[in-house]
Amino acid sequence: MRLIDRHAQTSRYRHLPAAEKLIAATGAMAVALTAESFLVEAAVLAAAVALLTLGARVGPRDLWRAARVPVGFVLAGSLAQATSLSLHGGLPSLAWPVGSLEPAAFVALRSLACIAALLGLALTTPLADLLHLLRRGGLGRELGDIAFLMLRIIWVTLDCLTEGLRSQANRLGFVGYRRSLRSLGLLLAALLPRTLGRARRLETGLAARGYDGALCFLRQEQPVSALRLGMILGGLAALATLARLGA
Amino acid sequence: MHIMEGFLPATHCVGWALASAPFVAAGAVRIRRVVRQHPEVKLLLGASGAYVFVLSALKLPSVTGSCSHPTGTGLAASLFGPTVTTVLSAIVLLFQALLLAHGGLTTLGANIFSMGIVGPFVAWGLYRGLSAAGASLAVAIFFAAALGDLSTYVVTSFQLALAFPDPAGGVAGAAGKFLGVFAVTQVPLAISEGLLTVVVMNLLGKYSAGELSALSVLSRRSA
């Protein structure tokens, strides 16, 4: 759960402007989504993985742990896409139609390239920096504040959940299906008043500090560099050119 | 069940984002109105959103012996109302993409449509309908949570089928394939989520009446 956030907070690229990293990631995704060649998808995937492992120094093991759930979905989805459902004789049966493997493999590679670009952003940029960017971009003060509050409360709520799960497991609370459901139900029912109580205490604390409806947070971010931005846009332009030539 | 980053074609990503935008905008306008009238609700909403995120991160035992994550749409819609749940789900899905790499930025619109709009509205409609028809609270909550979860999964399968129609069976054939692939885990999971939501609501009703009363401000004003 905390793997991606831990990397984002300690990454070598942590202090680079979130705007630059967002442009790089979404630009790479846009190129991957609009390209029609395997070569471009492979180039986006390779560039994102190289930046993450060699640039941001994310270990291959951690990269795999962050990517394994989406990769599993992509494999299951591509398998369904590659097969064909037949209802001959009244009974449904699966077949491998000729030529179905290539489009399924292309979608899988495109998705892997986009997942790598997403991880390039997520593993190097704390979510709070991206929320600041969204708020500046017109998310609105109310929604921005709610999103910030959610982010602050999530981690302490997760701590409560983890401790509760450990206590219940130690008391054999997860032996059998019925007991597991009851244990989880008890935990969730206990968690809601605790979470709301925390929000009330936060409200009291803020009110004591002159809260006027605006939440302020400290930021540690370098200013946007024209050179870095030029390099990012140049790299994206090169990938887009490759996509046009390949099409 | 999230559609992962890059899995849908660009036109579908744009289409689903456009389809979800009015619902999210309507929810955001209502939340803004409630927050301006009652500033303290902002903290309540932040805490509620964190609860929904944690709920969706919980591993739920399935009757098949495996385990997976609940959507939390049934419980959230029952507690906060469907329009507030849509906005909270949109933020939760964004967080899941950026903190867990589940879902994605390009597929955010499609995921909001299935998990933040269809799931909560189906759950809310069933909860209200069954309660009005005289069903007990437990029955109404069970069907709302289980079918809210199941509707999310059915919509996701149709989203995938629209993007990748079967060469022989068309969209219907592809929907059958995707429903079949994911049914193994999702149908037992929906039953488990329904049962879990009944347990949680019973306990909340018994021991946390004050908190439920505070949350009714959200559901009454924004449903």
Side-chain angles (χ1 to χ4, degrees):
Chain A
M1 177 63 81
R2 291 169 192 271
L3 175 81
I4 289 179
D5 187 58
R6 195 175 65 238
H7 274 287
Q9 300 287 353
T10 56
S11 163
R12 282 179 75 206
Y13 296 157
R14 158 80 172 83
H15 298 298
L16 294 182
E20 289 178 9
K21 290 179 273 185
L22 186 65
I23 289 171
T26 51
M29 283 179 206
V31 170
L33 273 184
T34 49
E36 289 171 5
S37 101
F38 277 92
L39 182 66
V40 178
E41 307 299 350
V44 172
L45 177 62
V49 171
L51 271 173
L52 274 169
T53 50
L54 304 175
R57 305 253 171 92
V58 177
R61 197 170 160 217
D62 279 353
L63 186 58
W64 166 244
R65 283 174 62 201
R68 63 189 171 189
V69 171
V71 168
F73 176 93
V74 168
L75 292 179
S78 299
L79 188 71
Q81 193 195 341
T83 55
S84 180
L85 189 68
S86 166
L87 291 171
H88 275 293
L91 283 173
S93 62
L94 286 176
W96 295 86
V98 180
S100 69
L101 213 56
E102 194 180 314
F106 179 76
V107 170
L109 187 60
R110 181 182 74 197
S111 195
L112 291 179
C114 287
I115 289 166
L118 175 73
L119 285 173
L121 177 68
L123 287 165
T124 59
T125 316
L127 188 47
D129 291 359
L130 291 169
L131 291 179
H132 272 295
L133 200 62
L134 286 177
R135 190 149 67 165
R136 281 207 309 255
L139 181 64
R141 202 178 78 176
E142 287 84 4
L143 283 184
D145 282 353
I146 289 167
F148 267 113
L149 283 165
M150 278 174 66
L151 183 61
R152 305 283 153 178
I153 298 174
I154 276 172
W155 302 118
V156 281
T157 311
L158 271 175
D159 280 343
C160 282
L161 182 80
T162 311
E163 283 168 23
L165 285 171
R166 196 183 300 132
S167 312
Q168 287 180 327
N170 288 344
R171 290 171 176 80
L172 304 179
F174 296 104
V175 177
Y177 178 72
R178 284 187 66 175
R179 198 184 285 186
S180 298
L181 268 188
R182 180 163 168 72
S183 295
L184 287 176
L186 279 166
L187 189 59
L188 285 179
L191 206 58
L192 183 68
R194 276 191 190 202
T195 311
L196 298 182
R198 199 178 294 275
R200 274 196 212 99
R201 290 197 295 281
L202 186 61
E203 186 194 338
T204 310
L206 285 169
R209 289 164 177 79
Y211 175 57
D212 63 350
L215 293 166
C216 303
F217 299 96
L218 292 173
R219 295 175 64 209
Q220 310 167 315
E221 211 179 86
Q222 293 172 9
V224 172
S225 145
L227 178 67
R228 272 197 310 264
L229 201 57
M231 285 168 64
I232 290 167
L233 293 175
L236 290 174
L239 284 171
T241 310
L242 192 65
R244 278 185 70 90
L245 290 174
Chain B
M1 197 173 84
H2 305 70
I3 300 178
M4 293 301 162
E5 190 69 88
F7 205 73
L8 291 180
T11 48
H12 288 246
C13 296
V14 174
W16 288 115
L18 290 175
S20 302
F23 293 91
V24 178
V29 167
R30 285 184 185 229
I31 282 181
R32 194 169 295 162
R33 199 179 302 147
V34 174
V35 165
R36 285 191 180 152
Q37 286 167 357
H38 304 270
E40 73 280 3
V41 168
K42 195 191 277 184
L43 295 156
L44 199 63
L45 277 166
S48 305
Y51 183 74
V52 174
F53 180 90
V54 170
L55 179 70
S56 65
L58 195 72
K59 281 185 180 167
L60 192 64
S62 164
V63 284
T64 54
S66 63
C67 72
S68 191
H69 304 279
T71 60
T73 51
L75 184 59
S78 309
L79 290 174
F80 317 124
T83 44
V84 167
T85 304
T86 296
V87 178
L88 292 182
S89 297
I91 301 175
V92 165
L93 285 165
L94 179 70
F95 281 17
Q96 285 179 338
L98 293 167
L99 288 174
L100 305 170
H102 293 185
L105 300 181
T106 61
T107 52
L108 192 61
N111 288 328
I112 289 174
F113 194 84
S114 61
M115 288 184 69
I117 297 169
V118 174
F121 275 92
V122 166
W124 178 252
L126 280 167
Y127 175 63
R128 296 292 290 242
L130 288 170
S131 299
S136 69
L137 179 72
V139 170
I141 290 286
F142 173 78
F143 281 105
L147 295 179
D149 178 298
L150 214 54
S151 64
T152 295
Y153 140 71
V154 169
V155 170
T156 304
S157 296
F158 274 99
Q159 286 172 328
L160 290 170
L162 278 173
F164 308 109
D166 189 85
V171 172
K177 277 189 310 187
F178 285 111
L179 283 166
V181 167
F182 298 114
V184 181
T185 56
Q186 288 298 322
V187 172
L189 185 67
I191 296 168
S192 294
E193 184 164 348
L195 293 172
L196 178 70
T197 310
V198 170
V199 174
V200 174
M201 287 301 279
N202 278 343
L203 289 166
L204 284 175
K206 204 182 280 182
Y207 301 113
S208 304
E211 279 76 12
L212 287 182
S213 158
L215 289 175
S216 72
V217 174
L218 293 180
S219 54
R220 193 173 56 243
R221 286 175 192 277
S222 57

